[in-house]
Amino acid sequence: MRRETSGADTNSVVAALLRDLAAVQKSQQSQWGYKRAAAAVLALEEPIEALLQPDGTLRKIPNVGPSSTRVILEVLQTGSSQTVERAVAESGKQPDVDRRRGLGDHFLSRAQVVAALRNTKLRGPTLADYRGDLQMHSTWSDGSQTLEDIVTAGIARGYSFCAVTDHSYGLPIAGGVSMSELAEQHREIDALNKKYRGRFRLIKGIEANIRANGTVDMEPGELGQLELVVAAPHSALRSADDQTARMVGAVSTPGVHILGHPRGRKFAARPGVAADWRRVAAAATRANVAIEIDGDPSRQDLDYSMVRGLLESGCLFALDSDGHSTSELAYAETAIAHARLAGIPKERVINCWPVDKLLAWLRRAL
Ligand SMILES: [Zn+2]
């Protein structure tokens, strides 16, 4: 299948083509070069058409070299790229490239995120409605931000709360925290909450792992030590088998508040969990669990097209960055853009609630 621009966002199409080109390179250096260029195009704040100059050349984009620029100009002129199609055909990797091309549905480029945030015709939460981020990682697991970095970066973004949700001990590959480390982390959180009282509230959370059988990899008494539990799948993310029962089991587990990155998909890499998401959303509604839109640009999980189909279930939603550094807190904007495109009423987005209401809901007092 050829990549076409019709109906799609050109930045996404160009980035996908550059990644295709990266995939068929023999030298690692040129693989990296095209991948860097793809990332630069995806991160552009404006549609790439706006960079075309009257003389037919392209305004310089950092990290985009001459051969990538040639692909961009081809796409702008013809809607597709002969250069890429030829390189893929000659590489003998067409089936592999086709397979990955099927894994890019409903991902938004940064330019689309910016457009959705600015589009006043869309319903759904605005950036100003958003009061805090409920999934992020610190130096206690695989993140690079300290707890106080999260507080100061959150305040700088106008938030009144954030949840620290480092990985649970069941995921050692991501530096999962032990229960004794967690107790130590909670003492640090208490101290920060004292220091920033009235200005900012840090919430004691965890990202627990959903096992293949739908149970969560922490004991009930352990879950009870946390203010917020995000349960998320990190295995069996390439299987085509239906996993509705697994996801229904996870959201029905007492102590769970948010179903995090529900599919576990990754851009151009893996499709994530296959399930009847309406049934999962119905179970989440019964259990008073929020379904997450993970704003990590490579996840965007669930996406707006799927969320639209879940609105009538009545479930709540959480819009989170899944940030591992303070600069990644901006990923929340990707989640907000999906929520706007899906038309989620802001009353159903727990990040838009006043902190007291959110804390009452987390305590199951609401
Ligand atoms: Zn995760």
Side-chain angles (χ1 to χ4, degrees), residues 135 167 207 232 234 261 299 322:
Q135 197 208 147
H167 293 281
E207 181 182 359
H234 297 97
H261 55 71
R299 291 187 178 274
D322 199 352

PDB file of all heavy atoms in Angstrom, residues 135 167 207 232 234 261 299 322, ligand 1:
ATOM      1  N   GLN A 135      -0.578  10.788  35.758  1.00  0.00           N
ATOM      2  CA  GLN A 135       0.369   9.687  35.551  1.00  0.00           C
ATOM      3  C   GLN A 135       1.726  10.245  35.176  1.00  0.00           C
ATOM      4  O   GLN A 135       1.889  10.815  34.093  1.00  0.00           O
ATOM      5  CB  GLN A 135      -0.068   8.701  34.456  1.00  0.00           C
ATOM      6  CG  GLN A 135       0.725   7.389  34.607  1.00  0.00           C
ATOM      7  CD  GLN A 135       0.968   6.563  33.368  1.00  0.00           C
ATOM      8  OE1 GLN A 135       1.997   5.920  33.256  1.00  0.00           O
ATOM      9  NE2 GLN A 135       0.047   6.559  32.433  1.00  0.00           N
ATOM     10  N   HIS A 167       6.577   3.026  38.642  1.00  0.00           N
ATOM     11  CA  HIS A 167       6.202   1.636  38.385  1.00  0.00           C
ATOM     12  C   HIS A 167       6.257   0.814  39.668  1.00  0.00           C
ATOM     13  O   HIS A 167       7.094   1.052  40.527  1.00  0.00           O
ATOM     14  CB  HIS A 167       7.129   1.016  37.344  1.00  0.00           C
ATOM     15  CG  HIS A 167       6.960   1.627  35.993  1.00  0.00           C
ATOM     16  ND1 HIS A 167       5.922   1.301  35.142  1.00  0.00           N
ATOM     17  CD2 HIS A 167       7.675   2.571  35.338  1.00  0.00           C
ATOM     18  CE1 HIS A 167       6.020   2.006  34.031  1.00  0.00           C
ATOM     19  NE2 HIS A 167       7.077   2.787  34.123  1.00  0.00           N
ATOM     20  N   GLU A 207       1.960   3.082  39.372  1.00  0.00           N
ATOM     21  CA  GLU A 207       1.490   2.446  38.145  1.00  0.00           C
ATOM     22  C   GLU A 207       1.684   0.951  38.342  1.00  0.00           C
ATOM     23  O   GLU A 207       2.802   0.440  38.246  1.00  0.00           O
ATOM     24  CB  GLU A 207       2.249   2.929  36.907  1.00  0.00           C
ATOM     25  CG  GLU A 207       1.701   2.257  35.639  1.00  0.00           C
ATOM     26  CD  GLU A 207       2.426   2.633  34.359  1.00  0.00           C
ATOM     27  OE1 GLU A 207       3.370   3.440  34.416  1.00  0.00           O
ATOM     28  OE2 GLU A 207       2.039   2.104  33.305  1.00  0.00           O
ATOM     29  N   ALA A 232      -2.110  -0.732  34.504  1.00  0.00           N
ATOM     30  CA  ALA A 232      -1.837  -0.648  33.060  1.00  0.00           C
ATOM     31  C   ALA A 232      -1.209  -1.948  32.557  1.00  0.00           C
ATOM     32  O   ALA A 232      -0.468  -2.606  33.291  1.00  0.00           O
ATOM     33  CB  ALA A 232      -0.904   0.528  32.789  1.00  0.00           C
ATOM     34  N   HIS A 234       1.404  -4.189  30.441  1.00  0.00           N
ATOM     35  CA  HIS A 234       2.760  -4.083  29.887  1.00  0.00           C
ATOM     36  C   HIS A 234       3.208  -5.388  29.239  1.00  0.00           C
ATOM     37  O   HIS A 234       4.373  -5.559  28.927  1.00  0.00           O
ATOM     38  CB  HIS A 234       3.760  -3.689  30.992  1.00  0.00           C
ATOM     39  CG  HIS A 234       3.479  -2.348  31.580  1.00  0.00           C
ATOM     40  ND1 HIS A 234       2.777  -2.185  32.751  1.00  0.00           N
ATOM     41  CD2 HIS A 234       3.766  -1.101  31.148  1.00  0.00           C
ATOM     42  CE1 HIS A 234       2.646  -0.893  33.013  1.00  0.00           C
ATOM     43  NE2 HIS A 234       3.238  -0.211  32.060  1.00  0.00           N
ATOM     44  N   HIS A 261      -2.958   3.750  29.919  1.00  0.00           N
ATOM     45  CA  HIS A 261      -2.700   3.356  28.510  1.00  0.00           C
ATOM     46  C   HIS A 261      -3.336   1.997  28.183  1.00  0.00           C
ATOM     47  O   HIS A 261      -2.662   0.990  27.980  1.00  0.00           O
ATOM     48  CB  HIS A 261      -1.221   3.411  28.130  1.00  0.00           C
ATOM     49  CG  HIS A 261      -0.244   2.644  28.973  1.00  0.00           C
ATOM     50  ND1 HIS A 261      -0.180   1.270  28.961  1.00  0.00           N
ATOM     51  CD2 HIS A 261       0.720   3.051  29.824  1.00  0.00           C
ATOM     52  CE1 HIS A 261       0.780   0.881  29.761  1.00  0.00           C
ATOM     53  NE2 HIS A 261       1.340   1.937  30.308  1.00  0.00           N
ATOM     54  N   ARG A 299       2.321   6.890  22.255  1.00  0.00           N
ATOM     55  CA  ARG A 299       1.243   6.033  22.753  1.00  0.00           C
ATOM     56  C   ARG A 299      -0.126   6.520  22.271  1.00  0.00           C
ATOM     57  O   ARG A 299      -0.836   5.818  21.581  1.00  0.00           O
ATOM     58  CB  ARG A 299       1.258   5.971  24.284  1.00  0.00           C
ATOM     59  CG  ARG A 299       2.452   5.226  24.871  1.00  0.00           C
ATOM     60  CD  ARG A 299       2.279   5.075  26.380  1.00  0.00           C
ATOM     61  NE  ARG A 299       3.350   4.346  27.021  1.00  0.00           N
ATOM     62  CZ  ARG A 299       3.417   3.021  27.134  1.00  0.00           C
ATOM     63  NH1 ARG A 299       2.460   2.283  26.624  1.00  0.00           N
ATOM     64  NH2 ARG A 299       4.429   2.433  27.749  1.00  0.00           N
ATOM     65  N   ASP A 322       2.028  10.804  31.224  1.00  0.00           N
ATOM     66  CA  ASP A 322       2.957   9.664  31.317  1.00  0.00           C
ATOM     67  C   ASP A 322       4.394  10.190  31.200  1.00  0.00           C
ATOM     68  O   ASP A 322       5.282   9.516  30.692  1.00  0.00           O
ATOM     69  CB  ASP A 322       2.659   8.635  30.225  1.00  0.00           C
ATOM     70  CG  ASP A 322       3.229   7.255  30.517  1.00  0.00           C
ATOM     71  OD1 ASP A 322       3.998   7.123  31.494  1.00  0.00           O
ATOM     72  OD2 ASP A 322       2.927   6.318  29.769  1.00  0.00           O
TER      73      ASP A 322
HETATM   74 ZN    ZN B   1       3.060   1.988  31.665  1.00  0.00          ZN
END
